[in-house]
């Protein structure tokens, strides 16, 4: 099995694709004007305290104020150097706070902040305001978990700081973990100097860009090759990994062709991310409809034609769909509340098995998720962490024609509405003639029954001049 990372660099954007045997598994997009701020650390100032919702708005120097839950405030700057964390009796406007962005701003909402600072390295995450040692829940082997805990305890790291062992640390030596820990401790010392030097609001630490994040988080031992199509980025990657990941250097390749994503059939697969219908091998399909409040996923049997009874057919389609749903959630980076409508199944054992398939496939997902269960109607309710703006958010804007509805009124509907508008316009007026300008499709419908226009002309003693305007929005009517 060949697992690769492909990096495409354009003048205004960077794209990363993680591919397994030629099949797109994960996709990330970052543009210079929309670079993520998740992971950035700011020295902010409390702008407003909303006690009724237990939160505060924090000025971090960006157009939108950050949102911080008061329960998460672990440190105020007056107590940063205290040996133990001190919670002030009251959070007041104007107080300074060190906060990290944990969730991108969406719509009118500002970025979500936390005072639980975490600095991710290759194998460890430094928690400078904590003193606990933790191991990622994704490391399931108990003996390996015990070994990693033992290694960290032997490293003699600062007692007033905490560390979380990342999944990539599995099998790594004491020396490799120590080197990662020292790097993070040096980084925190630099950050501490900036904390005292800079005035609020200001940026204290900026997270890596997409390329370096992908190398740090995804360039694991199971990746056979990393291919990048920019010589400048290729050299930058080599410089980045020289210190800690030099053994991976032979796996980095500079692509010399014309179009990396096109030549590797990735462009076609990326384009499918933006379609709402996904076909399965069995010819069944799923429909994915993200809304503002939640994501709805509907499973349909479609062209599934195996000679099975209804219960078995539903079970087979649902199992296949469950695996694909997990993949699509990763690919599209969908988050928030997610409702999956599987085909109804009568047997409890079948419902449990479909849920097991979904849970197993989601275990490969780096985002946090929580599944409520599956109902007798085949509905699965779950949540998935949404941190960054999705590729769809970055690539699309609200349609100026339909204003995001996805639908426009039909020509017949608009022709009826045009007659109503004419009567409303002419009421209490005495005009010799009136012009009505419509989209050609609407005008065609209107003129199919000219008697309606003649009736209005007789009633209001006027002459109506219908005018066709092709560029006019189908729902627009101009009367003059």
């Amino acid at each position: 099995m060949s697992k690769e990372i492909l990096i495409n660099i354009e003048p205004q954007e960077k794209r990363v694709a993680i591919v397994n045997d030629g099949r797109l598994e994960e996709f990330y997009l970052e543009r210079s004007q929309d670079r993520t701020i998740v992971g950035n650390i700011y020295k902010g100032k409390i702008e407003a305290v909303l006690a009724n919702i237990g939160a505060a708005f924090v000025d971090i120097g960006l157009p939108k104020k950050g949102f911080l839950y008061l329960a998460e405030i672990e440190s105020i700057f007056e107590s940063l150097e205290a040996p133990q964390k001190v919670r002030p009796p009251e959070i007041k406007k104007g107080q300074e706070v060190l906060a990290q962005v944990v969730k991108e701003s969406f719509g009118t909402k500002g970025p979500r902040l936390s005072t639980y600072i975490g600095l991710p390295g290759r194998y460890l995450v430094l928690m400078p305001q904590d003193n606990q040692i933790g191991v990622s829940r994704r490391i399931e082997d108990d003996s390996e978990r015990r070994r990693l805990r033992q290694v960290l305890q032997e490293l003699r790291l600062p007692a007033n700081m905490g560390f979380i062992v990342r999944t990539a640390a599995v099998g790594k030596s004491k020396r490799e973990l120590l080197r990662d820990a020292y790097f993070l401790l040096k980084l925190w010392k630099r950050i501490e100097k900036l904390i005292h030097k800079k005035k609020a609001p200001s940026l204290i630490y900026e997270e890596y860009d997409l390329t370096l994040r992908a190398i740090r988080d995804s360039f694991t031992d199971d990746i056979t090759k990393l291919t990048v199509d920019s010589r400048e980025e290729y050299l930058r990657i080599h410089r980045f990994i020289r210190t800690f990941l030099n053994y991976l250097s032979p796996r980095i390749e500079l692509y010399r062709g014309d179009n990396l994503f096109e030549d590797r059939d990735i462009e076609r697969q990326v384009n499918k991310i933006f379609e709402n219908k996904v076909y399965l091998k069995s010819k069944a399909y799923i429909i994915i409809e993200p809304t503002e409040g939640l994501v709805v996923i509907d499973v349909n049997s479609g062209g599934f034609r195996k000679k099975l009874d209804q219960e078995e057919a539903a079970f087979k389609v649902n199992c296949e769909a469950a695996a694909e749903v997990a993949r699509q959630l990763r690919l599209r980076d969908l988050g928030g509340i997610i409702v999956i409508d599987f085909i109804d199944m009568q047997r409890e054992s079948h419902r449990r098995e479909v849920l097991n398939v979904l849970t197993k496939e989601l275990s490969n997902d780096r985002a946090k998720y929580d599944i409520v269960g599956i109902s007798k109607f085949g509905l699965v309710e779950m949540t998935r962490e949404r941190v960054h703006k999705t590729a769809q958010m970055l690539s699309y804007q609200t349609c100026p024609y339909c204003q995001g509805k996805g639908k426009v009124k039909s020509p017949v509907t608009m022709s009826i509405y045009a007659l109503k508008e004419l009567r409303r316009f002419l009421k209490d007026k005495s005009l010799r003639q009136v012009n009505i300008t419509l989209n050609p499709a609407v005008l065609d419908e209107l003129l199919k029954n000219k008697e309606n226009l003649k009736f209005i002309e007789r009633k209001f003693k006027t002459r109506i001049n219908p005018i066709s305007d092709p560029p006019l929005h189908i729902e627009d009517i101009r009367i003059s």
Side-chain angles (χ1 to χ4, degrees):
M1 186 168 63
S2 174
K3 195 171 182 180
E4 302 176 65
I5 297 177
L6 306 179
I7 302 177
N8 166 236
I9 306 296
E10 300 292 343
Q12 290 180 291
E13 74 174 10
K14 297 179 180 181
R15 299 189 296 172
V16 171
I18 299 178
V19 180
N20 199 338
D21 280 341
R23 191 173 188 231
L24 186 63
E25 293 290 338
E26 297 177 48
F27 175 72
Y28 304 99
L29 168 68
E30 185 175 84
R31 290 177 177 162
S32 52
Q33 69 271 26
D34 295 312
R35 183 168 170 177
T36 182
I37 61 171
V38 172
N40 287 3
I41 300 173
Y42 293 88
K43 184 177 182 179
K45 186 177 289 187
I46 303 291
E47 186 80 6
V49 179
L50 305 176
N52 58 329
I53 62 171
F57 287 107
V58 183
D59 182 6
I60 56 175
L62 298 177
K64 292 180 181 178
K65 301 295 184 286
F67 184 83
L68 175 66
Y69 284 112
L70 297 180
E72 290 191 2
I73 296 184
E74 287 290 288
S75 307
I76 299 298
F77 272 90
E78 288 83 347
S79 60
L80 274 177
E81 295 181 344
Q84 294 183 357
K85 296 187 286 291
V86 177
R87 185 184 298 278
E90 185 180 0
I91 306 302
K92 296 180 181 179
K93 179 179 179 180
Q95 284 181 310
E96 294 182 347
V97 62
L98 185 68
Q100 188 170 34
V101 178
V102 295
K103 190 174 181 181
E104 200 79 66
S105 59
F106 288 96
T108 58
K109 297 178 182 178
R112 168 84 181 280
L113 306 177
S114 174
T115 55
Y116 292 87
I117 307 300
L119 291 177
R122 173 69 173 174
Y123 307 121
L124 305 171
V125 177
L126 171 64
M127 311 294 286
Q129 295 160 325
D130 201 347
N131 59 2
Q132 302 294 316
I133 290 178
V135 179
S136 170
R137 285 179 293 179
R138 296 183 185 280
I139 301 176
E140 297 178 352
D141 189 294
D142 289 337
S143 61
E144 179 64 9
R145 292 177 67 87
R146 288 193 296 270
R147 183 190 76 85
L148 290 168
R149 281 185 179 276
Q150 182 65 33
V151 167
L152 251 66
Q153 289 169 357
E154 294 172 358
L155 292 182
R156 297 181 182 178
L157 299 170
N160 62 336
M161 295 188 185
F163 286 89
I164 297 174
V165 182
R166 306 187 72 186
T167 313
V170 171
K172 298 305 174 185
S173 67
K174 181 177 179 179
R175 181 184 175 187
E176 289 172 304
L177 296 181
L178 181 63
R179 189 164 52 182
D180 203 37
Y182 279 174
F183 168 78
L184 292 172
L185 290 169
K186 285 181 183 178
L187 176 59
W188 177 244
K189 283 185 178 180
R190 290 201 299 270
I191 289 173
E192 282 186 310
K193 289 179 182 178
L194 290 173
I195 291 171
H196 299 293
K197 183 180 178 181
K198 289 191 173 185
K199 294 182 179 180
S202 59
L203 174 66
I204 300 297
Y205 166 77
E206 186 172 20
E207 172 65 305
Y208 293 141
D209 69 350
L210 177 60
T211 299
L212 300 188
R213 287 201 315 274
I215 293 168
R216 182 190 67 195
D217 300 336
S218 302
F219 200 1
T220 48
D221 290 341
D222 62 337
I223 299 293
T224 56
K225 187 165 59 175
L226 183 150
T227 306
V228 57
D229 61 6
S230 161
R231 182 169 184 79
E232 183 179 342
E233 200 76 352
Y234 171 80
L235 296 173
R236 190 169 79 101
I237 291 170
H238 268 289
R239 288 194 297 270
F240 177 72
I241 70 168
R242 195 172 295 150
T243 306
F244 301 106
L245 308 168
N246 200 39
Y247 73 97
L248 292 174
S249 294
R251 301 188 199 176
I252 302 172
E253 179 181 287
L254 174 63
Y255 185 73
R256 301 180 186 277
D258 294 329
N259 191 321
L260 174 60
F261 275 29
E262 191 71 44
D263 295 345
R264 299 291 293 273
D265 192 37
I266 301 302
E267 203 70 63
R268 178 187 63 82
Q269 297 184 60
V270 167
N271 289 335
K272 285 188 172 294
I273 292 175
F274 306 115
E275 297 177 4
N276 70 339
K277 188 178 284 189
V278 180
Y279 284 94
L280 309 177
K281 287 182 180 178
S282 64
K283 294 185 180 179
Y285 64 90
I286 60 177
I287 296 176
I288 304 172
E289 291 288 358
T291 70
E292 182 131 2
L294 54 81
V295 178
V296 179
I297 301 176
D298 186 33
V299 180
N300 292 277
S301 58
F304 185 81
R305 290 290 180 268
K306 285 189 178 179
K307 295 181 179 179
L308 300 171
D309 62 45
Q310 186 174 347
E311 174 72 13
E312 286 298 325
F315 176 63
K316 291 288 184 185
V317 170
N318 285 340
C319 285
E320 186 182 11
E324 185 61 30
V325 164
R327 173 175 174 262
Q328 291 296 326
L329 292 178
R330 290 196 307 273
L331 264 180
R332 300 169 188 239
D333 198 18
L334 298 172
I337 300 171
I338 299 165
V339 177
I340 309 166
D341 183 9
F342 288 102
I343 301 171
D344 289 351
M345 296 172 291
Q346 300 302 316
R347 294 183 197 169
E348 178 62 27
S349 60
H350 282 171
R351 289 197 289 269
R352 283 199 306 269
E353 182 58 29
V354 169
L355 191 62
N356 289 339
V357 171
L358 179 64
T359 304
K360 181 183 176 182
E361 294 298 325
L362 283 171
S363 65
N364 299 319
D365 198 334
R366 279 196 288 271
K368 296 176 184 177
Y369 62 88
D370 186 28
I371 303 177
V372 173
I374 185 168
S375 73
K376 66 179 182 179
F377 301 114
L379 289 175
V380 170
E381 297 173 49
M382 63 174 287
T383 61
R384 183 177 182 274
E385 180 184 38
R386 180 169 59 189
V387 175
H388 301 283
K389 291 181 179 177
T390 66
Q392 189 167 42
M393 288 177 180
L394 293 172
S395 303
Y396 285 77
Q397 65 178 14
T398 301
C399 172
Y401 200 83
C402 72
Q403 298 301 316
K405 293 181 292 185
K407 299 173 183 176
V408 292
K409 291 178 180 175
S410 69
V412 173
T413 301
M414 287 310 302
S415 68
I416 296 169
Y417 185 66
L419 293 172
K420 294 177 183 177
E421 287 297 290
L422 264 175
R423 290 195 294 269
R424 189 179 293 116
F425 179 82
L426 290 169
K427 186 180 179 182
D428 301 326
K429 289 186 179 71
S430 180
L431 299 173
R432 295 181 63 182
Q433 65 176 7
V434 62
N435 298 325
I436 180 167
T437 306
L438 303 167
N439 178 279
V442 178
L443 186 61
D444 287 345
E445 287 295 334
L446 188 68
L447 296 178
K448 283 181 179 178
N449 194 342
K450 294 181 181 180
E451 285 302 315
N452 292 326
L453 287 177
K454 290 180 179 178
F455 174 80
I456 295 175
E457 285 179 327
R458 290 193 299 269
K459 181 176 179 179
F460 294 99
K461 297 181 174 60
T462 186
R463 176 180 174 81
I464 299 173
N465 300 319
I467 300 171
S468 174
D469 186 1
L472 193 65
H473 191 297
I474 198 168
E475 292 184 1
D476 283 348
I477 299 170
R478 289 204 298 262
I479 303 175
S480 58

